[in-house]
Amino acid sequence: MKILILGSGGREYSIARAISNENDTHELFFQPGNGATDILGTNINIKDYNDLATFAIQNNIDLTIVGPEAPLVDGVVDIFKAKSLTIFGPSKEAAQLEGSKVYMKNFLAKYNIPTAKYIETASIEEAFKFTDTLTAPIVVKADGLCGGKGVIIAQNHDDAKVAISEMLSGKSFGDAGLKVIVEEFLDGYELSMFAVCDGDDYILLQAAQDHKRLLDGDEGPNTGGMGAYAPTPLVDEELYQKVKDRVIKPTLEGMKKEGAPFEGVLFIGIMVVNGEPVTLEFNVRFGDPECEILMPLMTSSVSDMFYKAATNHLSDIKVEFSSQYAVGVVMASENYPYKSSTPAEIIVDEVHHDEIRDNTHISYAGVSKEDDTLYADGGRVLVCVGLGDTIKQARDRAYLRCGQVHFKGKKIRTDIAYQAL
Ligand code: AMP
Ligand code: GLY
């Protein structure tokens, strides 16, 4: 197949890597890709979605896969479908499950899907009044996309009110904060679950755990994710079943009733509270770095799964997973997540040890290339992935691989997967 992948992160690299490993007949294109994806295919640079669809038609692209949320919320899927192209991802309307937290929370409430008690409002008085009914900590969320920064966990009522005022005045997040959600704080452990959906049917992948804070022990500021592992032993069959029955099935049925059948990756952020799954949020794409560890655990064809999902034929296939575990450790640049960093040359030692060569790999993200030299270009630079028969073995291998990657200012967490060990 000829496949076009939208995005530039480790997530998109890992999807491409999995597809490349299937066989030699696939041809891959990236919009825009990064300094390492050009080894797996061809990077293009066409920002306008109509022009991109024209490119897809002219180059006989069989399937387009959308990685990040922004093009989905902008309606790239609708534009491609109007031109009879096959594209995997939700429509602009269905992408509101991520694009608007107000839409998402109201949807959850309408279809009785368990979620934290909340209010959605543009009125400061209403928000303050509801805040006074909650016990701290209190969670305040901006309605729109804020690049993962729009959630404030306030430790007391005064801080919650400051966060509300700054959002509603447009000061903290511009238009994205002109409506807010105020909600109760859920105390439990967090999971990332991913359902690949075709509008009617779905395939639930293995549950993962992300590590959102910058520093060991879950300290420091929130990031896009500093590492992940899967499958997590914190989920048993009973919990998977509860998530299917209480969250995924009613969501797919509800979205059909809303006239926006959900096709794409439904990323369910779950807090397990006293053994019961509560929906924290939906995203409409794979998590990053979760995707980087889930792709290498799939033993059946990844491209076929996306193609069948994009053509509403998921029920025709059986997806298979390896019995191994995967651990991914993110290497971020010096100033992440505060500001950009000066590009730094990346040196990757040659791997001599069979065990490490056969059971680890690197998914590249924030990298650029000049004269065949890779540079860490800021943000999250790459993910070292280790596979193993136990979580500990996978983790140890991932960290051994980390020791062989060098660039100035490299930053990692040393405790990825601690909750399972
Ligand atoms: P979100 O973007 O909604 O996933 O929020 C970002 C992070 O904030 C989540 O991954 C959780 O760690 C945390 N969070 C969000 N909502 C709540 C809540 N109601 N209770 C506790 N933690 C939350
Ligand atoms: N790793 C969490 C996310 O991609 O939103």
Side-chain angles (χ1 to χ4, degrees), residues 309-348:
T311 52
N312 202 247
H313 281 100
L314 264 189
S315 57
D316 294 355
I317 56 166
K318 199 167 159 13
V319 168
E320 280 158 12
F321 307 101
S322 139
S323 58
Q324 287 197 302
Y325 294 89
V327 174
V329 180
V330 169
M331 263 189 206
S333 52
E334 194 167 10
N335 300 326
Y336 183 73
Y338 305 105
K339 55 183 170 94
S340 58
S341 308
T342 321
E345 184 177 346
I346 303 174
I347 294 167
V348 181

Side-chain angles (χ1 to χ4, degrees), residues 73 76 100 130 157 168 198 203 210 262 280 301-302 344 366 376 407 420:
V73 172
V76 72
S100 164
F130 186 73
H157 289 77
L168 288 178
D198 72 0
I203 288 164
D210 186 16
F262 191 86
L280 276 181
S301 165
V302 166
F407 58 89

Side-chain angles (χ1 to χ4, degrees), residues 130-400:
F130 186 73
T131 301
D132 288 332
T133 69
L134 298 174
T135 40
I138 292 156
V139 184
V140 183
K141 303 183 175 185
D143 176 37
L145 290 182
C146 301
K149 298 189 177 70
V151 175
I152 307 286
I153 309 220
Q155 293 308 320
N156 56 56
H157 289 77
D158 288 345
D159 289 356
K161 288 178 181 175
V162 171
I164 291 166
S165 310
E166 291 189 346
M167 283 186 196
L168 288 178
S169 67
K171 189 173 157 197
S172 44
F173 301 109
D175 286 354
L178 296 181
K179 264 194 172 181
V180 295
I181 303 277
V182 181
E183 69 180 28
E184 66 174 330
F185 178 81
L186 299 172
D187 198 4
Y189 59 91
E190 214 174 324
L191 302 171
S192 303
M193 292 221 203
F194 301 90
V196 174
C197 306
D198 72 0
D200 296 305
D201 295 303
Y202 67 92
I203 288 164
L204 183 58
L205 306 188
Q206 292 153 305
Q209 265 200 315
D210 186 16
H211 300 62
K212 290 211 163 95
R213 303 293 200 96
L214 181 70
L215 306 173
D216 285 3
D218 294 325
E219 303 280 345
N222 256 321
T223 70
M226 292 299 290
Y229 73 94
T232 168
L234 300 175
V235 181
D236 57 14
E237 270 316 310
E238 194 186 337
L239 193 63
Y240 275 118
Q241 200 56 47
K242 284 179 182 170
V243 172
K244 288 177 184 175
D245 294 342
R246 297 180 194 173
V247 185
I248 302 174
K249 284 177 197 164
T251 296
L252 290 182
E253 277 159 26
M255 288 304 280
K256 276 203 273 190
K257 286 194 189 131
E258 297 297 310
F262 191 86
E263 180 188 309
V265 178
L266 183 68
F267 170 173
I268 311 151
I270 288 192
M271 191 71 90
V272 182
V273 184
N274 299 323
E276 303 299 325
V278 184
T279 307
L280 276 181
E281 62 156 352
F282 284 140
N283 294 307
V284 298
R285 36 102 192 152
F286 270 117
D288 190 344
E290 291 96 323
C291 189
E292 288 93 313
I293 51 155
L294 291 171
M295 288 299 113
L297 289 175
M298 300 202 58
T299 47
S300 52
S301 165
V302 166
S303 62
D304 196 40
M305 175 176 75
F306 291 135
Y307 189 79
K308 290 290 188 327
T311 52
N312 202 247
H313 281 100
L314 264 189
S315 57
D316 294 355
I317 56 166
K318 199 167 159 13
V319 168
E320 280 158 12
F321 307 101
S322 139
S323 58
Q324 287 197 302
Y325 294 89
V327 174
V329 180
V330 169
M331 263 189 206
S333 52
E334 194 167 10
N335 300 326
Y336 183 73
Y338 305 105
K339 55 183 170 94
S340 58
S341 308
T342 321
E345 184 177 346
I346 303 174
I347 294 167
V348 181
D349 298 339
E350 201 180 320
V351 181
H352 294 295
H353 200 302
D354 287 351
E355 182 193 331
I356 303 307
R357 192 177 45 237
D358 296 346
N359 295 289
T360 69
H361 62 267
I362 299 173
S363 262
Y364 288 96
V367 298
S368 59
K369 191 187 275 175
E370 234 173 87
D371 299 332
D372 277 339
T373 302
L374 270 189
Y375 289 86
D377 220 12
R380 291 180 292 170
V381 175
L382 54 86
V383 185
C384 289
V385 179
L387 297 164
D389 296 332
T390 61
I391 294 176
K392 184 175 179 308
Q393 189 180 47
R395 193 237 5 219
D396 291 347
R397 288 170 172 169
Y399 277 111
L400 280 171

